[in-house]
């Protein structure tokens, strides 16, 4: 079927081009774009661009996150156009597209980091917000560099089992365990509003925590989420962030391996997917300028458990951005 003939969900003929209509074309038919949305080259313009970054040369343990973006796209076939939790139809509120993948060099990390930053500059420069699908966590650094060029230093919410503020591995500065230390060093984060959420698991030493605190991060551990609950955690994060431009980076290993087995460095005792989604919904009023979901490694996944969780996570983030774009138009 030619893309011009593809039946799409489009409540307003003058509005955004919506996803393929799954009441007319089976969900499992055709190539997968995120949520069956149109490709950027089919509509030519985007308010929110879903972008894959198939790069995993920065991993320290299990490889395979280079296949994460396409696994999330496959799992996202089952997303529907109305989000009841946020009472919004995100793909009718804003033009959301799948902008394809960044061709990052798998053999040269420094060159890949430059390529990803340049690609992000192009998308953000067009006026779109980015919903990036990794890839390993290395990619957050070039994405944040690009976001900071547009917005100045941004608030960061980092959902992850790990701190990702270590200094180097094997002398390498750019790895999936170091992006947020580099980002603080480069002055591209607003150090008055930095939080890790979902942190847990063994560390090299207590200095990992004190070093992280010196960089400016607060920590909401996985156990804190369990004890205090998603609503209270979201309220406190929202107060800390205020109206600052916010970037949310989600390492899918913030979830317990029961909810996300398909990832590179799993840790027991994590959040449930329900807790993660509820915290994100509680942040819907924040000024979310872009976001990523990273570290989905489908070779270790089972029955798409991880990819489904990641697709719903990206859907909530996309909904937040689409609502804000629509609100800013009517303001
Ligand atoms: Mn990480």
């Amino acid at each position: 079927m030619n893309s011009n003939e593809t039946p799409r969900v489009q409540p307003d003929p003058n509005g955004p081009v919506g996803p393929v209509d799954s009441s007319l074309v089976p969900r499992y038919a055709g190539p997968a774009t995120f949520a069956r949305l149109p490709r950027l080259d089919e509509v030519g313009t985007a308010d929110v661009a879903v972008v894959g970054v198939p790069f995993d040369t920065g991993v320290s343990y299990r490889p395979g996150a280079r296949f994460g973006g396409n696994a999330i796209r496959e799992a996202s076939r089952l997303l529907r156009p109305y989000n009841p939790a946020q009472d919004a139809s995100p793909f009718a509120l804003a033009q959301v597209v799948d902008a394809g993948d960044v061709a990052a060099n798998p053999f040269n990390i420094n060159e890949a980091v430059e390529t990803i930053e340049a690609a992000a500059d192009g998308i953000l420069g067009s006026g779109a917000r980015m919903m990036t699908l990794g890839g390993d966590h290395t990619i957050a650094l070039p994405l944040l560099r690009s976001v900071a060029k547009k917005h100045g230093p941004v608030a960061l919410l980092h959902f992850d089992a790990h701190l990702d503020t270590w200094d180097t591995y094997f002398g390498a500065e750019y790895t999936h365990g170091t992006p947020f230390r580099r980002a603080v060093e480069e002055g591209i984060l607003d150090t008055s509003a930095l939080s890790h959420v979902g942190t847990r698991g063994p560390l090299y030493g207590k200095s990992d925590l004190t070093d992280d605190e010196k960089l400016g991060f607060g920590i909401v551990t996985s156990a804190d989420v369990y004890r205090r609950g998603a609503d209270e955690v979201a309220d406190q994060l929202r107060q800390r962030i205020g109206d600052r431009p916010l970037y949310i980076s989600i390492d899918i290993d913030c979830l317990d391996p029961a909810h996300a087995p398909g990832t590179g460095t799993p840790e027991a005792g994590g959040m449930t997917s329900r807790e993660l989604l509820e915290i994100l919904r509680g942040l819907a009023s924040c000024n979310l300028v872009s976001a990523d979901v990273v570290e989905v490694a489908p070779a270790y996944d089972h029955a798409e458990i991880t990819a489904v969780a990641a697709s719903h996570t990206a859907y909530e983030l996309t909904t937040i951005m689409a609502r804000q774009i629509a609100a800013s138009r009517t303001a």
Side-chain angles (χ1 to χ4, degrees):
M1 188 176 291
N2 172 314
S3 63
N4 294 326
E5 305 165 344
T6 304
R8 293 186 177 277
V9 174
Q10 188 179 3
D12 172 3
N14 301 313
V17 180
V20 174
D21 187 340
S22 295
S23 69
L24 298 172
V25 183
R27 296 188 170 283
Y28 39 82
T33 55
F34 181 76
R36 311 193 83 193
L37 286 160
R39 300 188 315 265
L40 177 57
D41 63 278
E42 290 175 301
V43 295
T45 179
D47 298 313
V48 180
V50 181
V51 184
V53 181
F55 172 85
D56 65 3
T57 309
V59 302
S60 57
Y61 197 55
R62 295 170 173 173
R66 65 180 60 180
F67 300 110
N70 281 339
I72 297 168
R73 288 182 173 113
E74 278 295 329
S76 76
R77 290 173 180 276
L78 197 48
L79 295 171
R80 300 179 192 90
Y82 174 64
N83 182 341
Q86 295 195 47
D87 186 21
S89 298
F91 312 137
L93 291 173
Q95 182 63 65
V96 188
V97 306
D98 192 316
D101 287 342
V102 177
N105 188 331
F107 304 107
N108 185 323
I109 295 181
N110 288 15
E111 187 184 314
V113 164
E114 287 174 17
T115 302
I116 296 163
E117 183 178 340
D121 288 349
I123 292 164
L124 296 172
S126 76
R129 305 188 194 203
M130 282 180 78
M131 177 64 252
T132 307
L133 310 176
D136 78 50
H137 225 152
T138 310
I139 71 172
L141 178 66
L143 294 170
L144 284 165
R145 283 177 178 167
S146 184
V147 165
K149 272 183 239 170
K150 187 176 171 86
H151 298 281
V154 291
L156 172 71
L157 269 185
H158 168 224
F159 292 79
D160 202 313
H162 312 96
L163 301 168
D164 290 6
T165 52
W166 285 295
D167 190 1
T168 59
Y169 287 104
F170 291 78
E173 286 187 305
Y174 299 150
T175 77
H176 79 152
T178 59
F180 302 115
R181 178 181 292 241
R182 293 291 93 77
V184 171
E185 290 169 349
E186 294 180 15
I188 57 180
L189 298 181
D190 180 341
T191 54
S192 61
L194 306 180
S195 297
H196 305 292
V197 184
T199 317
R200 64 191 188 277
L203 300 169
Y204 297 99
K206 188 152 186 155
S207 61
D208 289 351
L209 293 171
T210 50
D211 289 353
D212 185 78
E213 192 178 0
K214 280 182 209 152
L215 294 172
F217 282 90
I219 295 179
V220 179
T221 67
S222 175
D224 291 334
V225 174
Y226 161 68
R227 293 202 178 93
R228 287 157 47 191
D231 290 348
E232 186 182 320
V233 166
D235 286 347
Q236 290 177 354
L237 292 171
R238 209 173 50 238
Q239 282 165 27
R240 183 164 186 185
I241 295 158
D243 57 5
R244 295 172 175 86
L246 170 67
Y247 188 90
I248 296 182
S249 184
I250 300 186
D251 188 323
I252 205 65
D253 75 19
C254 70
L255 300 180
D256 190 87
H259 294 258
T263 193
T265 49
E267 307 279 352
M271 290 189 290
T272 66
S273 52
R274 179 177 59 216
E275 288 169 326
L276 172 61
L277 297 175
E278 282 300 309
I279 292 172
L280 295 178
R281 291 163 186 156
L283 299 167
S285 64
C286 292
N287 178 19
L288 181 63
V289 295
S290 283
D292 65 57
V293 178
V294 299
E295 299 283 352
V296 172
Y300 315 98
D301 207 2
H302 303 273
E304 295 188 297
I305 295 170
T306 315
V308 167
S311 73
H312 282 256
T313 301
Y315 181 65
E316 292 300 330
L317 294 164
T318 303
T319 304
I320 294 171
M321 290 191 266
R323 286 178 62 190
Q324 291 172 355
I325 290 161
S328 67
R329 282 205 187 101
T330 57

